[in-house]
Amino acid sequence: MPKFTEDHEWLELDGDVVTVGITEHATVQLGDLVFVQLPDIGAKLAKGDGAAVVESVKAASDVFAPLTGEVVAVNEAIVADPAIVNTDPLKAGWFFKLKLADVGAFRDLMDEAAYKTFIGA
């Protein structure tokens, strides 16, 4: 089950690694993405650090590290074709994978019901 942040990111846990992307709500707010910049593999990120940048026809936004850890993979497909994030934000449009410093912190994030309440859905 994915978890969500107030910064409109989703996370899916597999062992001690989370896959991170932005929510469908975020893609609707941003509009069509035209550029994605991802973190470097091996980058150590603290919760709240700027991890990636997205630019759309409307605005540029940072994607923040939702938890503390080390980047172990990035999705180069969305760099080549940012529209993937708009068409499939919760699967093919993932941004990066983070090996967590503290797996327990994942439990503190919002579940889907809490996130839907947060965005007023």
Side-chain angles (χ1 to χ4, degrees):
M1 295 295 291
K3 295 280 194 162
F4 299 87
T5 72
E6 292 184 0
D7 292 318
H8 307 290
E9 297 151 350
W10 60 265
L11 294 82
E12 188 83 46
L13 184 64
D14 183 10
D16 63 351
V17 174
V18 289
T19 301
V20 180
I22 62 174
T23 65
E24 187 172 350
H25 177 79
T27 65
V28 169
Q29 297 299 311
L30 286 166
D32 292 336
L33 295 186
V34 295
F35 175 79
V36 176
Q37 179 182 346
L38 297 172
D40 294 329
I41 292 175
K44 294 190 184 338
L45 301 173
K47 180 179 179 177
D49 284 354
V53 176
V54 293
E55 290 182 16
S56 72
V57 293
K58 293 182 184 178
S61 291
D62 288 325
V63 176
F64 299 101
L67 297 169
T68 299
E70 180 180 344
V71 177
V72 294
V74 295
N75 186 357
E76 294 292 347
I78 66 170
V79 173
D81 184 5
I84 293 169
V85 179
N86 291 100
T87 57
D88 193 7
L90 300 179
K91 298 260 187 266
W94 64 275
F95 278 59
F96 56 91
K97 296 186 182 209
L98 199 61
K99 183 176 173 63
L100 297 179
D102 175 14
V103 176
F106 179 80
R107 287 190 296 271
D108 297 334
L109 300 173
M110 288 184 277
D111 63 15
E112 188 171 3
Y115 181 71
K116 283 183 175 180
T117 299
F118 174 72
I119 62 172

